[in-house]
Amino acid sequence: MSSPSDSGHDHQLSPSTPDPAPRRILVAHRLPLRAEPNPDAPHGFDFSLDCDALPFQLSRGLPSPVVFVGTLPPAAAASIAESDDLAAYLLERFSCLPVLLTTQLHADFYDGFCKHYMWPMLHYLLPFTGSYGSGSVLPFKDKLYRAFLTANTQFADRVLELLNPTEDLVFIHDYHLWALPTFLRHKSPRARIGFFLHSPFPSSELFNAVPVRKDILRSLLNADLVGFQTYDYARHFISSCSRILGAEKRTSHGYIGIEYYGRTVLVRTLSVGVDMDQLRGVLPSPETATKAKEIAHKYKGYKLMLGVDDIDLFKGIGLKLLAMEKLLESRPDLRGNVVLVQINNPPRSLGPDIDEIRAEVLAIRDRINTRFGFPGHDPVVLIDGAIPMHDKAAFYASADVCIVNAVRDGLNRTPYIYTVCRQEGPIVNSLPGVPRQSGVILSEFVGCSPSMSGAIRVNPWNVDDVAEAMQSALRMKETDRRLRQETHYKYVSTHDVAYWARSFHQDLLMACEHHSSMVVVNIGLAMSFRVLALGPDFQKLLPEHIHPAYCKTGNRLILLDYDGTLMPQELINKAPSQELIRILNELCSDPKNTVFLVSGRGKDELAKWFAPCERLGISAEHGYFTRWSRDSSWESCKLVIDLDWKDIALPVMKHYTDLTDGSSIEVKETSLVWRYEEADPDFGPCQAKELQDHLQSVLANEPVCVKSGHKIVELNPQGVGKGVAVDNLVSAMGARGNFPDFILCVGDDRSDEEMFAATTTGMKKHALAETVEIFPCTVGNKPSSAKYYLDEPSDVVKMLQGLIKLSTQQPAASRSRVSFE
């Protein structure tokens, strides 16, 4: 672990050069550039911005200036070696900074690891499934993973050339750059990083099978904001973080965050919309109108259904054609009256799997056309390859029904584009002022499905279901089609890509609002790297902090929690060791020390465990029972306690225990605890929240507090707590004229936060001198009201041993121990 750092990476500007305006650095696999070969051009290519490229569209709505970082278009990338001149030219001319990977590195990184391991895995396909033999899915290979990391490192180097960590924002897009947040955070701890996954995120059961699952999750948690297309994908990510890393979810004001080493990583669900400006530039054009007239003439008298998909394993094109075949089989009246036009976009990666998909689709098309076609009519028309956007927009505007039948997909904006084209595009023979209408059939496994409330949702694997949906869409009443179009257009037009960019930008600013006040500590190496974020006044408790105060004071109060503070949480046997007993006895032997164990455990259990500690004080059950030494009697708090609420609470807690494997009930004299340390990492917290809500409801009129802690739900009488216990201890010492001049308070749980508050702000009501030395200390770095922290229980023990050594080096105190018995 390195020492705390207040500075980030030094951005590449000379000291005399003023900082540029804050930039939005958008990092994606490819730059939004076109490259046309030209031997006379300086680098052999004429470059221009590609306004159809997704990275360019994702910059809509972002404040200027925006800088793009990514690889060159394939033709240029294969021909151009590393060139500072080219980088400077593209940055100045197009605000694009190229990452120049070697041909072999890019092949291993993109075609190997990303497209044939990561991408299938994110779409729920692992190497041991049937597609393994076809080469569509590769097993995990260290060589390809190293290439993935190397490529991400080169992306990080390019970003760091630009980055001013206190001003710029970094937007990272998709799984190709999954490792990038870690490399950026390592070099620039204060970098403001957002990551958006355009692909699905699989369930934790499947993600568990990834050999480098921890590395990948840690990298996403090195971002400040992580975005997903749907809540399902976000939920799977949160579940994986909980199960694999033990990171806890928290919610606040409608936002979801993951607590990770003192930072809260914001998790956002936000579907990427369409580029309205781009579509509105294409739809009114003469080329689009001409193509629309051509389509209207060619398919006059037919109901036109449209599919537009990339060719890959998960778009369900074959299933869509099978549904068309089933429709024509079951509805003879539709034969000769309906046409399905399927536009297949060029594949993003080549391989045997793409060839197999093409062959399958062609075979089904030919079979359908042979069975149900006739001269001059093919029920299925296949357009394979890139076509101009004007032509595609004309097909969208002309289609009566749009079908998206993917078996698993993240970013799929086809229904959005169809909706806009139907509303604003040229529809031949459509009367002016007549409301537009549409029909959308949408797979329930597509990222945009939750947003399209008027779509007919289908299970793409159920061919009969899809065929029935086709029939329903074709037979739908015009009023229904108009209402659905109106609903969809209202959403799509107001939630376009610029809205997405503005929202993600605002969320990233919010996620980073405390960066300037954080002190960060670097932990781990390579892909295990993360930062420990501390508050501005939050620091590790070091000997130089506490030793001088310990030596100069003469009436010390030392307050120690037990579980998680002196005893590690993960140990099954929680009884104290002989070494811990010895340390506590030596600490108590100094007459200047009053040492108390302040615990939520029952008094009988604590009395039994610490019977060898003659001078140790114990405050049990969160302070309800207190004794000042082994031979003194137990005192209870002066509250009049009614414990009848136990009869109400116990049956409820037993019910949840029966329903939750790994949970148990601990019954104490004045309190009840429901523990779920051994329960399922997802189900346990869910049940705990349900139990807490249930108990708060049934005990609303009872004198009891329901609180949640680390893997527990606890019920205590009102007015009982560790803060009250500490306050009573200080009052008792003060009543004898011996207020403490030194207070050390150490704990690890939420209940210990009450102790910290009582030893700081709570001391103001006592007549304590302003010179009193107070050391509230939490165990484990996390949001806390304590000023200090120690990493783990073993550090607490080492600290106590250091204090004992100081006591033995000082002459014995002349005064005798104050008795409270």
Side-chain angles (χ1 to χ4, degrees):
M1 179 187 295
S2 68
S3 60
S5 170
D6 289 316
S7 62
H9 178 81
D10 292 331
H11 53 285
Q12 305 299 306
L13 296 171
S14 64
S16 59
T17 303
D19 285 350
R23 286 165 294 206
R24 276 61 188 168
I25 302 173
L26 197 153
V27 195
H29 169 230
R30 292 286 188 195
L31 289 171
L33 291 175
R34 293 189 178 97
E36 297 294 335
N38 180 0
D40 299 327
H43 300 282
F45 289 88
D46 286 328
F47 291 97
S48 60
L49 272 179
D50 183 1
C51 297
D52 296 336
L54 181 61
F56 183 83
Q57 295 181 8
L58 293 171
S59 69
R60 303 273 196 187
L62 292 179
S64 297
V66 176
V67 181
F68 300 94
V69 176
T71 60
L72 292 171
S79 305
I80 298 176
E82 186 72 34
S83 169
D84 292 337
D85 291 342
L86 175 63
Y89 167 74
L90 293 178
L91 182 60
E92 181 180 359
R93 182 73 175 81
F94 303 108
S95 293
C96 291
L97 188 61
V99 179
L100 300 174
L101 306 178
T102 65
T103 302
Q104 185 60 53
L105 176 59
H106 187 270
D108 290 344
F109 150 64
Y110 182 73
D111 295 314
F113 190 77
C114 289
K115 297 304 291 184
H116 286 91
Y117 182 78
M118 287 286 287
W119 186 74
M121 180 274 296
L122 292 172
H123 289 76
Y124 289 70
L125 192 61
L126 287 176
F128 54 74
T129 58
S131 297
Y132 173 64
S134 69
S136 60
V137 187
L138 295 176
F140 179 87
K141 294 183 178 180
D142 283 335
K143 175 190 173 184
L144 299 181
Y145 180 57
R146 288 195 298 271
F148 171 76
L149 297 181
T150 300
N152 274 254
T153 302
Q154 294 189 25
F155 272 86
D157 291 340
R158 276 304 203 199
V159 173
L160 291 167
E161 290 178 20
L162 299 169
L163 184 65
N164 177 350
T166 61
E167 297 290 339
D168 298 339
L169 297 178
V170 181
F171 299 84
I172 302 172
H173 289 281
D174 225 4
Y175 64 95
H176 318 93
L177 304 175
W178 209 318
L180 185 54
T182 287
F183 297 133
L184 290 179
R185 187 69 65 197
H186 184 232
K187 295 291 183 66
S188 182
R190 296 185 184 283
R192 303 190 289 175
I193 304 171
F195 182 98
F196 195 89
L197 183 66
H198 296 279
S199 301
F201 193 100
S203 66
S204 59
E205 288 80 5
L206 188 141
F207 194 79
N208 277 342
V210 178
V212 290
R213 58 191 185 179
K214 289 186 177 181
D215 291 351
I216 291 174
L217 287 179
R218 286 194 190 107
S219 188
L220 288 192
L221 292 178
N222 274 325
D224 300 290
L225 169 65
V226 183
F228 299 91
Q229 289 281 344
T230 72
Y231 177 69
D232 275 349
Y233 304 155
R235 178 170 54 84
H236 293 161
F237 168 67
I238 293 168
S239 175
S240 294
C241 289
S242 172
R243 291 175 177 274
I244 297 171
L245 299 179
E248 294 186 358
K249 177 186 77 172
R250 63 172 293 193
T251 57
S252 178
H253 303 294
Y255 287 93
I256 301 174
I258 296 177
E259 297 293 340
Y260 189 65
Y261 287 88
R263 299 167 51 241
T264 299
V265 181
L266 194 63
V267 179
R268 186 77 161 89
T269 299
L270 195 63
S271 182
V272 177
V274 297
D275 188 341
M276 294 294 291
D277 290 342
Q278 180 216 24
L279 288 176
R280 285 170 176 163
V282 171
L283 290 172
S285 68
E287 295 91 340
T288 303
T290 300
K291 186 64 179 179
K293 290 178 181 178
E294 178 188 321
I295 294 170
H297 175 74
K298 183 175 182 178
Y299 298 106
K300 184 177 180 180
Y302 293 103
K303 288 287 188 179
L304 182 60
M305 297 193 295
L306 178 68
V308 181
D309 301 281
D310 297 341
I311 300 180
D312 65 46
L313 287 168
F314 304 104
K315 293 302 186 288
I317 301 173
L319 293 171
K320 187 189 304 182
L321 297 189
L322 291 176
M324 179 66 174
E325 185 176 37
K326 177 67 69 174
L327 175 70
L328 297 177
E329 285 177 351
S330 60
R331 293 302 304 267
D333 57 306
L334 292 177
R335 298 172 190 173
N337 293 313
V338 62
V339 175
L340 171 62
V341 174
Q342 175 63 40
I343 300 174
N344 291 338
N345 298 322
R348 302 186 185 187
S349 181
L350 299 177
D353 53 319
I354 301 299
D355 297 334
E356 290 177 11
I357 294 168
R358 274 202 173 105
E360 177 191 29
V361 169
L362 288 172
I364 299 173
R365 179 204 64 178
D366 293 343
R367 185 176 72 231
I368 294 173
N369 289 343
T370 299
R371 292 182 62 190
F372 303 108
F374 49 82
H377 170 68
D378 287 332
V380 177
V381 177
L382 198 62
I383 302 174
D384 199 354
I387 66 173
M389 186 59 196
H390 299 93
D391 291 2
K392 200 177 292 184
F395 272 108
Y396 278 124
S398 304
D400 298 289
V401 178
C402 178
I403 308 171
V404 177
N405 202 52
V407 297
R408 187 73 60 180
D409 209 356
L411 175 62
N412 190 318
R413 299 183 293 172
T414 296
Y416 295 166
I417 299 171
Y418 169 70
T419 297
V420 176
C421 291
R422 286 292 287 179
Q423 187 70 26
E424 302 186 12
I427 299 180
V428 179
N429 299 325
S430 176
L431 298 176
V434 175
R436 300 295 180 92
Q437 49 183 274
S438 65
V440 178
I441 299 172
L442 186 56
S443 164
E444 62 191 58
F445 302 120
V446 173
C448 64
S449 179
S451 306
M452 303 293 287
S453 59
I456 302 174
R457 292 188 178 88
V458 294
N459 176 358
W461 297 103
N462 187 335
V463 173
D464 291 337
D465 186 26
V466 179
E468 185 177 338
M470 289 178 174
Q471 177 184 327
S472 298
L474 292 170
R475 301 284 186 179
M476 190 180 297
K477 294 179 180 180
E478 288 190 6
T479 52
D480 286 346
R481 291 169 57 82
R482 288 171 182 170
L483 285 173
R484 292 168 191 251
Q485 168 67 15
E486 181 182 338
T487 300
H488 290 165
Y489 181 73
K490 183 178 180 180
Y491 174 83
V492 172
S493 61
T494 56
H495 292 74
D496 62 351
V497 71
Y499 170 86
W500 176 91
R502 288 192 299 270
S503 299
F504 203 66
H505 179 265
Q506 291 168 1
D507 290 335
L508 182 53
L509 288 174
M510 182 178 67
C512 303
E513 62 183 347
H514 299 302
H515 271 31
S516 61
S517 62
M518 284 193 317
V519 176
V520 294
V521 177
N522 296 347
I523 304 175
L525 301 173
M527 287 300 289
S528 295
F529 176 84
R530 59 267 192 207
V531 295
L532 188 65
L534 312 176
D537 299 321
F538 196 45
Q539 54 189 314
K540 189 168 186 176
L541 185 57
L542 300 174
E544 53 262 37
H545 297 141
I546 194 170
H547 284 186
Y550 187 86
C551 292
K552 72 180 183 181
T553 51
N555 193 22
R556 312 181 192 108
L557 177 60
I558 299 174
L559 306 165
L560 303 170
D561 174 48
Y562 184 65
D563 292 278
T565 300
L566 296 176
M567 179 61 57
Q569 291 278 11
E570 62 270 14
L571 293 184
I572 297 176
N573 181 8
K574 296 296 180 68
S577 64
Q578 290 301 313
E579 174 66 10
L580 180 58
I581 293 292
R582 182 190 64 78
I583 290 172
L584 291 175
N585 276 330
E586 290 185 7
L587 192 64
C588 293
S589 66
D590 187 335
K592 297 179 181 180
N593 292 343
T594 299
V595 184
F596 260 87
L597 202 65
V598 185
S599 172
R601 287 188 175 270
K603 64 180 178 64
D604 294 336
E605 183 177 42
L606 294 173
K608 177 181 177 181
W609 282 353
F610 294 96
C613 300
E614 179 183 356
R615 294 182 174 179
L616 177 67
I618 298 177
S619 186
E621 297 196 23
H622 296 290
Y624 185 81
F625 295 106
T626 299
R627 76 178 191 190
W628 291 79
S629 66
R630 182 188 63 190
D631 298 327
S632 64
S633 59
W634 287 100
E635 304 170 3
S636 61
C637 66
K638 298 183 173 75
L639 297 172
V640 178
I641 300 297
D642 177 6
L643 299 178
D644 291 344
W645 54 264
K646 280 189 173 184
D647 297 331
I648 303 172
L650 266 175
V652 176
M653 298 174 75
K654 287 179 180 177
H655 173 71
Y656 280 84
T657 303
D658 292 339
L659 296 175
T660 312
D661 289 343
S663 65
S664 61
I665 301 173
E666 181 183 356
V667 180
K668 305 176 187 177
E669 286 190 45
T670 63
S671 61
L672 298 173
V673 182
W674 190 75
R675 298 185 175 275
Y676 59 97
E677 294 99 328
E678 304 302 322
D680 180 270
D682 281 337
F683 189 56
C686 178
Q687 289 291 83
K689 182 64 170 64
E690 289 289 327
L691 173 60
Q692 185 175 358
D693 292 343
H694 195 158
L695 290 172
Q696 287 174 339
S697 175
V698 299
L699 299 173
N701 298 319
E702 300 294 329
V704 60
C705 292
V706 183
K707 299 179 181 179
S708 61
H710 181 71
K711 305 292 185 182
I712 64 170
V713 175
E714 189 164 18
L715 287 75
N716 290 301
Q718 287 181 356
V720 175
K722 289 188 176 182
V724 177
V726 170
D727 191 61
N728 290 338
L729 294 177
V730 173
S731 297
M733 295 176 71
R736 292 158 174 80
N738 288 283
F739 274 117
D741 54 6
F742 172 100
I743 301 177
L744 170 64
C745 177
V746 190
D748 77 302
D749 203 351
R750 293 179 189 173
S751 62
D752 299 312
E753 294 296 318
E754 300 177 14
M755 282 204 300
F756 303 147
T759 55
T760 53
T761 57
M763 291 298 102
K764 293 179 181 178
K765 67 180 180 180
H766 297 292
L768 295 182
E770 293 183 0
T771 56
V772 63
E773 302 284 356
I774 301 177
F775 296 90
C777 178
T778 188
V779 179
N781 176 254
K782 51 189 176 291
S784 174
S785 59
K787 183 178 180 180
Y788 300 97
Y789 77 94
L790 290 170
D791 291 315
E792 52 192 23
S794 61
D795 293 328
V796 178
V797 173
K798 291 176 183 176
M799 176 196 65
L800 297 180
Q801 290 173 327
L803 299 182
I804 292 169
K805 187 175 181 180
L806 292 177
S807 292
T808 59
Q809 293 173 352
Q810 290 184 316
S814 57
R815 62 177 180 83
S816 60
R817 172 180 294 273
V818 178
S819 174
F820 295 93
E821 301 177 16

